[in-house]
Amino acid sequence: MRDRYIFPAVFNYADDGISVSFPDLPGCFTCGDTDEEAVRMAEEAVGLHLYGMERDGDPIPEPSRGDRLAVAPNECIFLVDVWMPQVREDVEPVYVKKTLTIPSDLNEAAKRANINFSQVLASSLRQILKKRPVRN
């Protein structure tokens, strides 16, 4: 299993939106109303499709070179980059136990408010990491 895959996607522009297909991944399709939405949906579709292939033990093809794909006048090629460790974590999270220390008054107040400490920590870490991406 690889951690990163980059596959070409064909964006087909029509009056009712953008349909997205993947020449190397039969059965993988998505769509969007804007370029931004179509890119986001394409990343999600490829990630889930590849995750399913990994889980089923199917061979994952080598991606075609974008310059070797023929497209119609209303189409363009976009390279979709997927970081599989994140996809795998999103689909099947693996949890680790962490020990931490907080002030006792904060602990008591949070317990009275029925706050889930693990959920708060995970949510806070996600927010911080969005602002400060981890380098590979």
Side-chain angles (χ1 to χ4, degrees):
M1 285 190 295
R2 290 174 27 195
D3 284 341
R4 172 162 271 133
Y5 292 98
I6 300 174
F7 276 92
V10 177
F11 280 41
N12 180 298
Y13 292 84
D15 292 337
D16 61 346
I18 305 163
S19 61
V20 184
S21 60
F22 302 87
D24 302 309
L25 303 170
C28 185
F29 300 97
T30 191
C31 61
D33 291 325
T34 65
D35 282 326
E36 183 179 298
E37 183 181 30
V39 168
R40 193 172 59 253
M41 297 299 289
E43 290 168 347
E44 183 177 319
V46 169
L48 292 173
H49 192 85
L50 293 173
Y51 174 82
M53 292 177 76
E54 287 178 351
R55 185 192 63 224
D56 296 343
D58 295 336
I60 296 176
E62 286 299 315
S64 298
R65 284 182 43 155
D67 63 348
R68 296 195 177 144
L69 297 172
V71 294
N74 65 324
E75 296 178 333
C76 73
I77 301 294
F78 183 85
L79 295 178
V80 177
D81 186 354
V82 179
W83 180 243
M84 292 304 294
Q86 184 65 53
V87 173
R88 294 179 197 116
E89 173 74 17
D90 289 346
V91 176
E92 293 182 16
V94 175
Y95 294 94
V96 294
K97 186 172 178 104
K98 300 304 266 180
T99 302
L100 61 121
T101 305
I102 60 172
S104 62
D105 62 327
L106 189 57
N107 181 60
E108 292 305 317
K111 283 171 50 178
R112 283 193 303 275
N114 291 322
I115 291 178
N116 180 317
F117 288 85
S118 295
Q119 186 178 31
V120 169
L121 177 59
S123 176
S124 297
L125 287 171
R126 284 187 188 99
Q127 287 179 345
I128 290 168
L129 290 170
K130 281 182 185 178
K131 296 174 186 171
R132 192 178 344 159
V134 177
R135 294 184 184 169
N136 297 333

